[in-house]
Amino acid sequence: MSCQRSFDAGAYVLAALDDDEAAAFAAHLPACKHCRDEVDHLRHGAEALALAVPQLQPPPALRDRIMRDVQADAALLAPRKPAPQPRRRWSLGLQPLTAAACACALVAFGAAGAAVIGGDDGPSSRTLAADVAPPGAKASLRVDGARGTLELAGMSNPGGGRVYQVWLVKGDGPPRPTHTLFTVRRDGRASVQIDAPIKGVREILVSAEPPRGSDAPTSAPVIRATPA
Ligand SMILES: [Zn+2]
């Protein structure tokens, strides 16, 4: 019946496709009656217009604008494609959907201590609430095998040119530095993948440190997560 490629028919008739697009569309025509009919129909209209008005070459900018309108109309008239399936895995919080899902999880479980707040993303993956010092801030720790990702919201940056640094505590030992230094985005969020395995780690801490990080924490931790 209809054909996605028929959006290009108008541009094809007006010779507004680039060479490759035009060749591809022309090659498609013998196989697609819908597009052939569309081209015939539009060609008649274009010829009628050509007879009715004096031929003027529109300035390129105008032609581009018209073609954008034509294509926008074609897109509006096009059959709706099925909406893409939401991704079940959290990537790094870059997708709006992911961010929204993350926010829900944080809002719902911010007060749940170390309860497991997620677990349907795979057998080895879970999300744990984390303690966070700044009022209004939320943090959770996503554990995926030996890998940990902190998901933060409502945080502000430490200021004074400092950054946040992630520390790992094993047993009763001192906090060991990681190379994971970060700042939060302007909207107060950050998704921070810890660059060291968290297997066997008792606590994950975050503190404000100088821009290149420290060997030992120089300020009290603002986030404390327990991966166990
Ligand atoms: Zn077609």
Side-chain angles (χ1 to χ4, degrees):
M1 288 282 283
S2 70
C3 172
Q4 296 275 322
R5 303 193 64 159
S6 65
F7 306 161
D8 285 337
Y12 179 74
V13 167
L14 294 174
L17 293 177
D18 70 30
D19 290 348
D20 286 349
E21 290 170 330
F25 190 77
H28 169 70
L29 282 178
C32 182
K33 181 169 179 348
H34 181 79
C35 287
R36 280 201 309 277
D37 290 346
E38 190 75 6
V39 166
D40 282 347
H41 174 72
L42 291 168
R43 201 162 255 158
H44 283 121
E47 279 162 7
L49 275 175
L51 292 173
V53 298
Q55 284 294 285
L56 287 174
Q57 195 65 30
L62 176 61
R63 193 183 75 164
D64 288 351
R65 190 162 58 75
I66 291 170
M67 285 317 303
R68 273 202 303 278
D69 289 348
V70 167
Q71 279 155 3
D73 288 348
L76 280 178
L77 295 172
R80 298 258 166 177
K81 278 193 258 180
Q85 289 297 308
R87 291 170 51 167
R88 295 191 62 201
R89 280 192 165 278
W90 292 3
S91 51
L92 285 176
L94 297 176
Q95 291 199 321
L97 189 69
T98 307
C102 173
C104 294
L106 292 172
V107 166
F109 293 95
V116 174
I117 60 176
D120 61 345
D121 293 343
S124 67
S125 148
R126 63 199 198 281
T127 301
L128 308 160
D131 295 330
V132 63
K138 307 272 186 192
S140 66
L141 172 69
R142 172 165 195 74
V143 180
D144 206 339
R147 227 173 55 173
T149 304
L150 288 166
E151 302 282 354
L152 311 179
M155 295 279 293
S156 49
N157 280 314
R162 292 180 306 163
V163 300
Y164 290 119
Q165 182 171 5
V166 175
W167 307 87
L168 304 180
V169 180
K170 284 190 177 179
D172 294 329
R176 297 211 304 218
T178 69
H179 296 110
T180 306
L181 306 175
F182 68 93
T183 56
V184 299
R185 297 196 314 236
R186 246 203 310 217
D187 65 0
R189 292 182 175 279
S191 182
V192 183
Q193 191 176 320
I194 300 164
D195 75 342
I198 62 164
K199 220 175 177 61
V201 166
R202 182 170 63 81
E203 257 184 350
I204 296 168
L205 306 175
V206 174
S207 65
E209 302 296 334
R212 290 158 169 271
S214 305
D215 293 329
T218 63
S219 68
V222 294
I223 293 169
R224 184 188 303 268
T226 310

